[in-house]
mmCIF file with all atom_site columns, all heavy atoms in Angstrom:
data_model
loop_
_atom_site.group_PDB
_atom_site.id
_atom_site.type_symbol
_atom_site.label_atom_id
_atom_site.label_alt_id
_atom_site.label_comp_id
_atom_site.label_asym_id
_atom_site.label_entity_id
_atom_site.label_seq_id
_atom_site.pdbx_PDB_ins_code
_atom_site.Cartn_x
_atom_site.Cartn_y
_atom_site.Cartn_z
_atom_site.occupancy
_atom_site.B_iso_or_equiv
_atom_site.pdbx_formal_charge
_atom_site.auth_seq_id
_atom_site.auth_comp_id
_atom_site.auth_asym_id
_atom_site.auth_atom_id
_atom_site.pdbx_PDB_model_num
ATOM 1   N N   . GLN E 1 1  ? -0.184 2.298  4.960  1.00 95.00 ? 106 GLN E N   1
ATOM 2   C CA  . GLN E 1 1  ? 0.131  3.244  3.926  1.00 95.00 ? 106 GLN E CA  1
ATOM 3   C C   . GLN E 1 1  ? 1.097  4.280  4.422  1.00 95.00 ? 106 GLN E C   1
ATOM 4   O O   . GLN E 1 1  ? 1.164  4.670  5.611  1.00 95.00 ? 106 GLN E O   1
ATOM 5   C CB  . GLN E 1 1  ? -1.168 4.031  3.609  1.00 95.00 ? 106 GLN E CB  1
ATOM 6   C CG  . GLN E 1 1  ? -2.265 3.103  2.804  1.00 95.00 ? 106 GLN E CG  1
ATOM 7   C CD  . GLN E 1 1  ? -3.366 3.885  2.275  1.00 95.00 ? 106 GLN E CD  1
ATOM 8   O OE1 . GLN E 1 1  ? -3.747 4.888  2.881  1.00 95.00 ? 106 GLN E OE1 1
ATOM 9   N NE2 . GLN E 1 1  ? -3.954 3.480  1.140  1.00 95.00 ? 106 GLN E NE2 1
ATOM 10  N N   . LEU E 1 2  ? 1.961  4.772  3.449  1.00 96.00 ? 107 LEU E N   1
ATOM 11  C CA  . LEU E 1 2  ? 2.896  5.836  3.840  1.00 96.00 ? 107 LEU E CA  1
ATOM 12  C C   . LEU E 1 2  ? 2.650  7.011  3.029  1.00 96.00 ? 107 LEU E C   1
ATOM 13  O O   . LEU E 1 2  ? 2.498  6.904  1.732  1.00 96.00 ? 107 LEU E O   1
ATOM 14  C CB  . LEU E 1 2  ? 4.324  5.220  3.505  1.00 96.00 ? 107 LEU E CB  1
ATOM 15  C CG  . LEU E 1 2  ? 4.769  4.006  4.255  1.00 96.00 ? 107 LEU E CG  1
ATOM 16  C CD1 . LEU E 1 2  ? 6.153  3.556  3.827  1.00 96.00 ? 107 LEU E CD1 1
ATOM 17  C CD2 . LEU E 1 2  ? 4.614  4.090  5.742  1.00 96.00 ? 107 LEU E CD2 1
ATOM 18  N N   . VAL E 1 3  ? 2.673  8.098  3.579  1.00 94.00 ? 108 VAL E N   1
ATOM 19  C CA  . VAL E 1 3  ? 2.465  9.459  2.884  1.00 94.00 ? 108 VAL E CA  1
ATOM 20  C C   . VAL E 1 3  ? 3.564  10.317 3.039  1.00 94.00 ? 108 VAL E C   1
ATOM 21  O O   . VAL E 1 3  ? 3.914  10.701 4.244  1.00 94.00 ? 108 VAL E O   1
ATOM 22  C CB  . VAL E 1 3  ? 1.146  10.025 3.283  1.00 94.00 ? 108 VAL E CB  1
ATOM 23  C CG1 . VAL E 1 3  ? 0.947  11.417 2.559  1.00 94.00 ? 108 VAL E CG1 1
ATOM 24  C CG2 . VAL E 1 3  ? -0.064 9.130  3.000  1.00 94.00 ? 108 VAL E CG2 1
ATOM 25  N N   . GLU E 1 4  ? 4.299  10.610 2.106  1.00 95.00 ? 109 GLU E N   1
ATOM 26  C CA  . GLU E 1 4  ? 5.420  11.550 2.122  1.00 95.00 ? 109 GLU E CA  1
ATOM 27  C C   . GLU E 1 4  ? 5.103  12.936 1.812  1.00 95.00 ? 109 GLU E C   1
ATOM 28  O O   . GLU E 1 4  ? 4.117  13.190 1.037  1.00 95.00 ? 109 GLU E O   1
ATOM 29  C CB  . GLU E 1 4  ? 6.528  11.050 1.206  1.00 95.00 ? 109 GLU E CB  1
ATOM 30  C CG  . GLU E 1 4  ? 6.907  9.682  1.486  1.00 95.00 ? 109 GLU E CG  1
ATOM 31  C CD  . GLU E 1 4  ? 7.543  8.930  0.273  1.00 95.00 ? 109 GLU E CD  1
ATOM 32  O OE1 . GLU E 1 4  ? 7.252  9.430  -0.823 1.00 95.00 ? 109 GLU E OE1 1
ATOM 33  O OE2 . GLU E 1 4  ? 8.087  7.936  0.430  1.00 95.00 ? 109 GLU E OE2 1
ATOM 34  N N   . SER E 1 5  ? 5.813  13.874 2.332  1.00 94.00 ? 110 SER E N   1
ATOM 35  C CA  . SER E 1 5  ? 5.644  15.268 1.952  1.00 94.00 ? 110 SER E CA  1
ATOM 36  C C   . SER E 1 5  ? 6.954  16.041 2.224  1.00 94.00 ? 110 SER E C   1
ATOM 37  O O   . SER E 1 5  ? 7.868  15.512 2.776  1.00 94.00 ? 110 SER E O   1
ATOM 38  C CB  . SER E 1 5  ? 4.575  15.898 2.883  1.00 94.00 ? 110 SER E CB  1
ATOM 39  O OG  . SER E 1 5  ? 4.907  15.838 4.208  1.00 94.00 ? 110 SER E OG  1
ATOM 40  N N   . GLY E 1 6  ? 7.033  17.283 1.655  1.00 96.00 ? 111 GLY E N   1
ATOM 41  C CA  . GLY E 1 6  ? 8.142  18.152 1.888  1.00 96.00 ? 111 GLY E CA  1
ATOM 42  C C   . GLY E 1 6  ? 9.204  18.254 0.794  1.00 96.00 ? 111 GLY E C   1
ATOM 43  O O   . GLY E 1 6  ? 10.091 19.051 0.980  1.00 96.00 ? 111 GLY E O   1
ATOM 44  N N   . GLY E 1 7  ? 9.002  17.584 -0.274 1.00 95.00 ? 112 GLY E N   1
ATOM 45  C CA  . GLY E 1 7  ? 9.959  17.733 -1.344 1.00 95.00 ? 112 GLY E CA  1
ATOM 46  C C   . GLY E 1 7  ? 9.707  19.058 -2.068 1.00 95.00 ? 112 GLY E C   1
ATOM 47  O O   . GLY E 1 7  ? 8.787  19.812 -1.783 1.00 95.00 ? 112 GLY E O   1
ATOM 48  N N   . GLY E 1 8  ? 10.641 19.407 -3.036 1.00 97.00 ? 113 GLY E N   1
ATOM 49  C CA  . GLY E 1 8  ? 10.511 20.510 -3.744 1.00 97.00 ? 113 GLY E CA  1
ATOM 50  C C   . GLY E 1 8  ? 11.767 20.960 -4.383 1.00 97.00 ? 113 GLY E C   1
ATOM 51  O O   . GLY E 1 8  ? 12.749 20.167 -4.538 1.00 97.00 ? 113 GLY E O   1
ATOM 52  N N   . LEU E 1 9  ? 11.870 22.238 -4.815 1.00 97.00 ? 114 LEU E N   1
ATOM 53  C CA  . LEU E 1 9  ? 12.994 22.790 -5.432 1.00 97.00 ? 114 LEU E CA  1
ATOM 54  C C   . LEU E 1 9  ? 13.789 23.657 -4.494 1.00 97.00 ? 114 LEU E C   1
ATOM 55  O O   . LEU E 1 9  ? 13.269 24.508 -3.808 1.00 97.00 ? 114 LEU E O   1
ATOM 56  C CB  . LEU E 1 9  ? 12.573 23.641 -6.716 1.00 97.00 ? 114 LEU E CB  1
ATOM 57  C CG  . LEU E 1 9  ? 13.664 24.402 -7.392 1.00 97.00 ? 114 LEU E CG  1
ATOM 58  C CD1 . LEU E 1 9  ? 14.644 23.435 -8.007 1.00 97.00 ? 114 LEU E CD1 1
ATOM 59  C CD2 . LEU E 1 9  ? 13.045 25.325 -8.512 1.00 97.00 ? 114 LEU E CD2 1
ATOM 60  N N   . VAL E 1 10 ? 15.079 23.450 -4.407 1.00 97.00 ? 115 VAL E N   1
ATOM 61  C CA  . VAL E 1 10 ? 15.931 24.246 -3.473 1.00 97.00 ? 115 VAL E CA  1
ATOM 62  C C   . VAL E 1 10 ? 17.207 24.588 -4.175 1.00 97.00 ? 115 VAL E C   1
ATOM 63  O O   . VAL E 1 10 ? 17.733 23.840 -5.097 1.00 97.00 ? 115 VAL E O   1
ATOM 64  C CB  . VAL E 1 10 ? 16.202 23.416 -2.159 1.00 97.00 ? 115 VAL E CB  1
ATOM 65  C CG1 . VAL E 1 10 ? 16.969 22.172 -2.449 1.00 97.00 ? 115 VAL E CG1 1
ATOM 66  C CG2 . VAL E 1 10 ? 16.777 24.307 -1.175 1.00 97.00 ? 115 VAL E CG2 1
ATOM 67  N N   . GLN E 1 11 ? 17.874 25.674 -3.804 1.00 97.00 ? 116 GLN E N   1
ATOM 68  C CA  . GLN E 1 11 ? 19.148 26.088 -4.311 1.00 97.00 ? 116 GLN E CA  1
ATOM 69  C C   . GLN E 1 11 ? 20.289 25.226 -3.734 1.00 97.00 ? 116 GLN E C   1
ATOM 70  O O   . GLN E 1 11 ? 20.177 24.876 -2.611 1.00 97.00 ? 116 GLN E O   1
ATOM 71  C CB  . GLN E 1 11 ? 19.332 27.525 -4.275 1.00 97.00 ? 116 GLN E CB  1
ATOM 72  C CG  . GLN E 1 11 ? 18.393 28.314 -5.152 1.00 97.00 ? 116 GLN E CG  1
ATOM 73  C CD  . GLN E 1 11 ? 18.725 29.820 -5.143 1.00 97.00 ? 116 GLN E CD  1
ATOM 74  O OE1 . GLN E 1 11 ? 19.273 30.303 -4.169 1.00 97.00 ? 116 GLN E OE1 1
ATOM 75  N NE2 . GLN E 1 11 ? 18.302 30.484 -6.210 1.00 97.00 ? 116 GLN E NE2 1
ATOM 76  N N   . LEU E 1 12 ? 21.371 25.304 -4.362 1.00 97.00 ? 117 LEU E N   1
ATOM 77  C CA  . LEU E 1 12 ? 22.649 24.675 -3.928 1.00 97.00 ? 117 LEU E CA  1
ATOM 78  C C   . LEU E 1 12 ? 22.921 25.247 -2.432 1.00 97.00 ? 117 LEU E C   1
ATOM 79  O O   . LEU E 1 12 ? 22.863 26.536 -2.276 1.00 97.00 ? 117 LEU E O   1
ATOM 80  C CB  . LEU E 1 12 ? 23.831 25.102 -4.806 1.00 97.00 ? 117 LEU E CB  1
ATOM 81  C CG  . LEU E 1 12 ? 25.197 24.710 -4.388 1.00 97.00 ? 117 LEU E CG  1
ATOM 82  C CD1 . LEU E 1 12 ? 25.323 23.166 -4.270 1.00 97.00 ? 117 LEU E CD1 1
ATOM 83  C CD2 . LEU E 1 12 ? 26.252 25.305 -5.160 1.00 97.00 ? 117 LEU E CD2 1
ATOM 84  N N   . GLY E 1 13 ? 23.210 24.424 -1.530 1.00 97.00 ? 118 GLY E N   1
ATOM 85  C CA  . GLY E 1 13 ? 23.439 24.801 -0.210 1.00 97.00 ? 118 GLY E CA  1
ATOM 86  C C   . GLY E 1 13 ? 22.276 24.921 0.733  1.00 97.00 ? 118 GLY E C   1
ATOM 87  O O   . GLY E 1 13 ? 22.403 25.126 1.891  1.00 97.00 ? 118 GLY E O   1
ATOM 88  N N   . GLY E 1 14 ? 21.144 24.802 0.164  1.00 98.00 ? 119 GLY E N   1
ATOM 89  C CA  . GLY E 1 14 ? 19.890 25.002 0.919  1.00 98.00 ? 119 GLY E CA  1
ATOM 90  C C   . GLY E 1 14 ? 19.478 23.812 1.676  1.00 98.00 ? 119 GLY E C   1
ATOM 91  O O   . GLY E 1 14 ? 20.233 22.778 1.779  1.00 98.00 ? 119 GLY E O   1
ATOM 92  N N   . SER E 1 15 ? 18.304 23.868 2.328  1.00 98.00 ? 120 SER E N   1
ATOM 93  C CA  . SER E 1 15 ? 17.871 22.858 3.238  1.00 98.00 ? 120 SER E CA  1
ATOM 94  C C   . SER E 1 15 ? 16.379 22.456 2.904  1.00 98.00 ? 120 SER E C   1
ATOM 95  O O   . SER E 1 15 ? 15.646 23.341 2.444  1.00 98.00 ? 120 SER E O   1
ATOM 96  C CB  . SER E 1 15 ? 17.869 23.251 4.691  1.00 98.00 ? 120 SER E CB  1
ATOM 97  O OG  . SER E 1 15 ? 19.279 23.556 5.095  1.00 98.00 ? 120 SER E OG  1
ATOM 98  N N   . LEU E 1 16 ? 16.070 21.223 3.205  1.00 98.00 ? 121 LEU E N   1
ATOM 99  C CA  . LEU E 1 16 ? 14.619 20.851 3.050  1.00 98.00 ? 121 LEU E CA  1
ATOM 100 C C   . LEU E 1 16 ? 14.427 19.716 4.198  1.00 98.00 ? 121 LEU E C   1
ATOM 101 O O   . LEU E 1 16 ? 15.503 18.979 4.562  1.00 98.00 ? 121 LEU E O   1
ATOM 102 C CB  . LEU E 1 16 ? 14.442 20.035 1.749  1.00 98.00 ? 121 LEU E CB  1
ATOM 103 C CG  . LEU E 1 16 ? 14.013 20.956 0.465  1.00 98.00 ? 121 LEU E CG  1
ATOM 104 C CD1 . LEU E 1 16 ? 13.857 20.031 -0.694 1.00 98.00 ? 121 LEU E CD1 1
ATOM 105 C CD2 . LEU E 1 16 ? 12.706 21.718 0.744  1.00 98.00 ? 121 LEU E CD2 1
ATOM 106 N N   . THR E 1 17 ? 13.183 19.620 4.571  1.00 98.00 ? 122 THR E N   1
ATOM 107 C CA  . THR E 1 17 ? 12.851 18.502 5.505  1.00 98.00 ? 122 THR E CA  1
ATOM 108 C C   . THR E 1 17 ? 11.737 17.692 4.924  1.00 98.00 ? 122 THR E C   1
ATOM 109 O O   . THR E 1 17 ? 10.611 18.223 4.586  1.00 98.00 ? 122 THR E O   1
ATOM 110 C CB  . THR E 1 17 ? 12.428 19.047 6.815  1.00 98.00 ? 122 THR E CB  1
ATOM 111 O OG1 . THR E 1 17 ? 13.460 19.797 7.458  1.00 98.00 ? 122 THR E OG1 1
ATOM 112 C CG2 . THR E 1 17 ? 12.082 17.914 7.768  1.00 98.00 ? 122 THR E CG2 1
ATOM 113 N N   . LEU E 1 18 ? 11.953 16.471 4.798  1.00 98.00 ? 123 LEU E N   1
ATOM 114 C CA  . LEU E 1 18 ? 10.846 15.469 4.273  1.00 98.00 ? 123 LEU E CA  1
ATOM 115 C C   . LEU E 1 18 ? 10.262 14.806 5.461  1.00 98.00 ? 123 LEU E C   1
ATOM 116 O O   . LEU E 1 18 ? 10.922 14.561 6.508  1.00 98.00 ? 123 LEU E O   1
ATOM 117 C CB  . LEU E 1 18 ? 11.515 14.376 3.412  1.00 98.00 ? 123 LEU E CB  1
ATOM 118 C CG  . LEU E 1 18 ? 12.409 14.904 2.186  1.00 98.00 ? 123 LEU E CG  1
ATOM 119 C CD1 . LEU E 1 18 ? 12.862 13.670 1.380  1.00 98.00 ? 123 LEU E CD1 1
ATOM 120 C CD2 . LEU E 1 18 ? 11.678 15.824 1.302  1.00 98.00 ? 123 LEU E CD2 1
ATOM 121 N N   . SER E 1 19 ? 8.981  14.509 5.272  1.00 98.00 ? 124 SER E N   1
ATOM 122 C CA  . SER E 1 19 ? 8.225  13.783 6.395  1.00 98.00 ? 124 SER E CA  1
ATOM 123 C C   . SER E 1 19 ? 7.584  12.525 5.679  1.00 98.00 ? 124 SER E C   1
ATOM 124 O O   . SER E 1 19 ? 7.201  12.636 4.496  1.00 98.00 ? 124 SER E O   1
ATOM 125 C CB  . SER E 1 19 ? 7.144  14.680 6.847  1.00 98.00 ? 124 SER E CB  1
ATOM 126 O OG  . SER E 1 19 ? 7.639  15.783 7.449  1.00 98.00 ? 124 SER E OG  1
ATOM 127 N N   . CYS E 1 20 ? 7.404  11.606 6.445  1.00 97.00 ? 125 CYS E N   1
ATOM 128 C CA  . CYS E 1 20 ? 6.641  10.383 6.023  1.00 97.00 ? 125 CYS E CA  1
ATOM 129 C C   . CYS E 1 20 ? 5.775  9.837  7.216  1.00 97.00 ? 125 CYS E C   1
ATOM 130 O O   . CYS E 1 20 ? 6.404  9.482  8.191  1.00 97.00 ? 125 CYS E O   1
ATOM 131 C CB  . CYS E 1 20 ? 7.657  9.301  5.527  1.00 97.00 ? 125 CYS E CB  1
ATOM 132 S SG  . CYS E 1 20 ? 6.911  7.749  5.239  1.00 97.00 ? 125 CYS E SG  1
ATOM 133 N N   . ALA E 1 21 ? 4.490  9.898  6.992  1.00 97.00 ? 126 ALA E N   1
ATOM 134 C CA  . ALA E 1 21 ? 3.621  9.394  8.000  1.00 97.00 ? 126 ALA E CA  1
ATOM 135 C C   . ALA E 1 21 ? 3.104  8.045  7.665  1.00 97.00 ? 126 ALA E C   1
ATOM 136 O O   . ALA E 1 21 ? 2.548  7.852  6.553  1.00 97.00 ? 126 ALA E O   1
ATOM 137 C CB  . ALA E 1 21 ? 2.539  10.380 8.222  1.00 97.00 ? 126 ALA E CB  1
ATOM 138 N N   . ALA E 1 22 ? 3.155  7.089  8.632  1.00 96.00 ? 127 ALA E N   1
ATOM 139 C CA  . ALA E 1 22 ? 2.632  5.762  8.332  1.00 96.00 ? 127 ALA E CA  1
ATOM 140 C C   . ALA E 1 22 ? 1.210  5.566  9.023  1.00 96.00 ? 127 ALA E C   1
ATOM 141 O O   . ALA E 1 22 ? 1.073  6.026  10.144 1.00 96.00 ? 127 ALA E O   1
ATOM 142 C CB  . ALA E 1 22 ? 3.579  4.712  8.833  1.00 96.00 ? 127 ALA E CB  1
ATOM 143 N N   . SER E 1 23 ? 0.265  5.101  8.347  1.00 94.00 ? 128 SER E N   1
ATOM 144 C CA  . SER E 1 23 ? -1.042 4.733  8.824  1.00 94.00 ? 128 SER E CA  1
ATOM 145 C C   . SER E 1 23 ? -1.307 3.261  8.835  1.00 94.00 ? 128 SER E C   1
ATOM 146 O O   . SER E 1 23 ? -0.597 2.506  8.129  1.00 94.00 ? 128 SER E O   1
ATOM 147 C CB  . SER E 1 23 ? -2.101 5.573  8.193  1.00 94.00 ? 128 SER E CB  1
ATOM 148 O OG  . SER E 1 23 ? -2.146 5.178  6.833  1.00 94.00 ? 128 SER E OG  1
ATOM 149 N N   . GLY E 1 24 ? -2.228 2.798  9.516  1.00 91.00 ? 129 GLY E N   1
ATOM 150 C CA  . GLY E 1 24 ? -2.626 1.361  9.490  1.00 91.00 ? 129 GLY E CA  1
ATOM 151 C C   . GLY E 1 24 ? -1.657 0.603  10.407 1.00 91.00 ? 129 GLY E C   1
ATOM 152 O O   . GLY E 1 24 ? -1.506 -0.625 10.294 1.00 91.00 ? 129 GLY E O   1
ATOM 153 N N   . ILE E 1 25 ? -0.940 1.249  11.255 1.00 89.00 ? 130 ILE E N   1
ATOM 154 C CA  . ILE E 1 25 ? -0.004 0.670  12.186 1.00 89.00 ? 130 ILE E CA  1
ATOM 155 C C   . ILE E 1 25 ? -0.564 0.175  13.408 1.00 89.00 ? 130 ILE E C   1
ATOM 156 O O   . ILE E 1 25 ? -1.248 0.926  14.115 1.00 89.00 ? 130 ILE E O   1
ATOM 157 C CB  . ILE E 1 25 ? 1.226  1.635  12.480 1.00 89.00 ? 130 ILE E CB  1
ATOM 158 C CG1 . ILE E 1 25 ? 1.810  2.139  11.177 1.00 89.00 ? 130 ILE E CG1 1
ATOM 159 C CG2 . ILE E 1 25 ? 2.195  0.995  13.374 1.00 89.00 ? 130 ILE E CG2 1
ATOM 160 C CD1 . ILE E 1 25 ? 2.441  1.014  10.341 1.00 89.00 ? 130 ILE E CD1 1
ATOM 161 N N   . ILE E 1 26 ? -0.382 -1.082 13.741 1.00 86.00 ? 131 ILE E N   1
ATOM 162 C CA  . ILE E 1 26 ? -0.908 -1.672 14.995 1.00 86.00 ? 131 ILE E CA  1
ATOM 163 C C   . ILE E 1 26 ? 0.150  -1.882 16.092 1.00 86.00 ? 131 ILE E C   1
ATOM 164 O O   . ILE E 1 26 ? -0.087 -1.624 17.221 1.00 86.00 ? 131 ILE E O   1
ATOM 165 C CB  . ILE E 1 26 ? -1.637 -3.024 14.694 1.00 86.00 ? 131 ILE E CB  1
ATOM 166 C CG1 . ILE E 1 26 ? -2.742 -2.743 13.703 1.00 86.00 ? 131 ILE E CG1 1
ATOM 167 C CG2 . ILE E 1 26 ? -2.126 -3.646 15.990 1.00 86.00 ? 131 ILE E CG2 1
ATOM 168 C CD1 . ILE E 1 26 ? -3.438 -4.035 13.252 1.00 86.00 ? 131 ILE E CD1 1
ATOM 169 N N   . PHE E 1 27 ? 1.275  -2.373 15.656 1.00 83.00 ? 132 PHE E N   1
ATOM 170 C CA  . PHE E 1 27 ? 2.353  -2.635 16.600 1.00 83.00 ? 132 PHE E CA  1
ATOM 171 C C   . PHE E 1 27 ? 3.539  -1.816 16.148 1.00 83.00 ? 132 PHE E C   1
ATOM 172 O O   . PHE E 1 27 ? 3.614  -1.107 15.154 1.00 83.00 ? 132 PHE E O   1
ATOM 173 C CB  . PHE E 1 27 ? 2.743  -4.102 16.729 1.00 83.00 ? 132 PHE E CB  1
ATOM 174 C CG  . PHE E 1 27 ? 2.801  -4.866 15.430 1.00 83.00 ? 132 PHE E CG  1
ATOM 175 C CD1 . PHE E 1 27 ? 4.044  -4.985 14.751 1.00 83.00 ? 132 PHE E CD1 1
ATOM 176 C CD2 . PHE E 1 27 ? 1.724  -5.576 14.885 1.00 83.00 ? 132 PHE E CD2 1
ATOM 177 C CE1 . PHE E 1 27 ? 4.177  -5.617 13.578 1.00 83.00 ? 132 PHE E CE1 1
ATOM 178 C CE2 . PHE E 1 27 ? 1.822  -6.146 13.756 1.00 83.00 ? 132 PHE E CE2 1
ATOM 179 C CZ  . PHE E 1 27 ? 3.025  -6.185 12.998 1.00 83.00 ? 132 PHE E CZ  1
ATOM 180 N N   . SER E 1 28 ? 4.737  -1.963 16.867 1.00 89.00 ? 133 SER E N   1
ATOM 181 C CA  . SER E 1 28 ? 5.869  -1.052 16.781 1.00 89.00 ? 133 SER E CA  1
ATOM 182 C C   . SER E 1 28 ? 6.533  -1.261 15.321 1.00 89.00 ? 133 SER E C   1
ATOM 183 O O   . SER E 1 28 ? 6.683  -2.438 14.876 1.00 89.00 ? 133 SER E O   1
ATOM 184 C CB  . SER E 1 28 ? 6.912  -1.340 17.813 1.00 89.00 ? 133 SER E CB  1
ATOM 185 O OG  . SER E 1 28 ? 6.347  -1.082 19.020 1.00 89.00 ? 133 SER E OG  1
ATOM 186 N N   . ILE E 1 29 ? 6.972  -0.257 14.755 1.00 90.00 ? 134 ILE E N   1
ATOM 187 C CA  . ILE E 1 29 ? 7.668  -0.333 13.491 1.00 90.00 ? 134 ILE E CA  1
ATOM 188 C C   . ILE E 1 29 ? 9.219  -0.490 13.847 1.00 90.00 ? 134 ILE E C   1
ATOM 189 O O   . ILE E 1 29 ? 9.842  0.164  14.633 1.00 90.00 ? 134 ILE E O   1
ATOM 190 C CB  . ILE E 1 29 ? 7.494  0.937  12.749 1.00 90.00 ? 134 ILE E CB  1
ATOM 191 C CG1 . ILE E 1 29 ? 6.073  1.215  12.389 1.00 90.00 ? 134 ILE E CG1 1
ATOM 192 C CG2 . ILE E 1 29 ? 8.462  1.027  11.400 1.00 90.00 ? 134 ILE E CG2 1
ATOM 193 C CD1 . ILE E 1 29 ? 5.883  2.621  11.795 1.00 90.00 ? 134 ILE E CD1 1
ATOM 194 N N   . ARG E 1 30 ? 9.768  -1.562 13.204 1.00 92.00 ? 135 ARG E N   1
ATOM 195 C CA  . ARG E 1 30 ? 11.133 -1.980 13.616 1.00 92.00 ? 135 ARG E CA  1
ATOM 196 C C   . ARG E 1 30 ? 12.177 -0.884 13.169 1.00 92.00 ? 135 ARG E C   1
ATOM 197 O O   . ARG E 1 30 ? 13.099 -0.485 13.931 1.00 92.00 ? 135 ARG E O   1
ATOM 198 C CB  . ARG E 1 30 ? 11.525 -3.307 12.988 1.00 92.00 ? 135 ARG E CB  1
ATOM 199 C CG  . ARG E 1 30 ? 10.870 -4.458 13.621 1.00 92.00 ? 135 ARG E CG  1
ATOM 200 C CD  . ARG E 1 30 ? 11.359 -5.798 13.131 1.00 92.00 ? 135 ARG E CD  1
ATOM 201 N NE  . ARG E 1 30 ? 10.911 -6.046 11.720 1.00 92.00 ? 135 ARG E NE  1
ATOM 202 C CZ  . ARG E 1 30 ? 11.718 -6.061 10.728 1.00 92.00 ? 135 ARG E CZ  1
ATOM 203 N NH1 . ARG E 1 30 ? 13.073 -5.818 10.821 1.00 92.00 ? 135 ARG E NH1 1
ATOM 204 N NH2 . ARG E 1 30 ? 11.172 -6.277 9.565  1.00 92.00 ? 135 ARG E NH2 1
ATOM 205 N N   . ALA E 1 31 ? 11.949 -0.401 11.941 1.00 95.00 ? 136 ALA E N   1
ATOM 206 C CA  . ALA E 1 31 ? 12.874 0.685  11.456 1.00 95.00 ? 136 ALA E CA  1
ATOM 207 C C   . ALA E 1 31 ? 12.148 1.458  10.352 1.00 95.00 ? 136 ALA E C   1
ATOM 208 O O   . ALA E 1 31 ? 11.177 0.984  9.697  1.00 95.00 ? 136 ALA E O   1
ATOM 209 C CB  . ALA E 1 31 ? 14.048 0.032  10.814 1.00 95.00 ? 136 ALA E CB  1
ATOM 210 N N   . MET E 1 32 ? 12.645 2.711  10.315 1.00 97.00 ? 137 MET E N   1
ATOM 211 C CA  . MET E 1 32 ? 12.071 3.667  9.252  1.00 97.00 ? 137 MET E CA  1
ATOM 212 C C   . MET E 1 32 ? 13.275 4.287  8.614  1.00 97.00 ? 137 MET E C   1
ATOM 213 O O   . MET E 1 32 ? 14.254 4.576  9.277  1.00 97.00 ? 137 MET E O   1
ATOM 214 C CB  . MET E 1 32 ? 11.155 4.704  9.922  1.00 97.00 ? 137 MET E CB  1
ATOM 215 C CG  . MET E 1 32 ? 10.099 4.175  10.815 1.00 97.00 ? 137 MET E CG  1
ATOM 216 S SD  . MET E 1 32 ? 8.962  5.486  11.528 1.00 97.00 ? 137 MET E SD  1
ATOM 217 C CE  . MET E 1 32 ? 7.885  5.798  10.217 1.00 97.00 ? 137 MET E CE  1
ATOM 218 N N   . GLY E 1 33 ? 13.105 4.520  7.264  1.00 96.00 ? 138 GLY E N   1
ATOM 219 C CA  . GLY E 1 33 ? 14.283 5.117  6.619  1.00 96.00 ? 138 GLY E CA  1
ATOM 220 C C   . GLY E 1 33 ? 13.915 5.747  5.327  1.00 96.00 ? 138 GLY E C   1
ATOM 221 O O   . GLY E 1 33 ? 12.725 5.825  4.942  1.00 96.00 ? 138 GLY E O   1
#
């Protein structure tokens, strides 16, 4: 499962940081994006 967070409303020129946490992981994740 992937759970994202961090979205929202921002003004022109502003900044945001999104996060995505993966659960149920047993071995290495090849790539995330």
Side-chain angles (χ1 to χ4, degrees):
Q106 291 188 327
L107 305 180
V108 177
E109 299 152 345
S110 61
L114 175 65
V115 64
Q116 290 187 335
L117 174 67
S120 298
L121 276 177
T122 300
L123 306 182
S124 301
C125 172
S128 60
I130 302 298
I131 299 174
F132 47 88
S133 300
I134 300 171
R135 289 186 288 113
M137 306 181 80

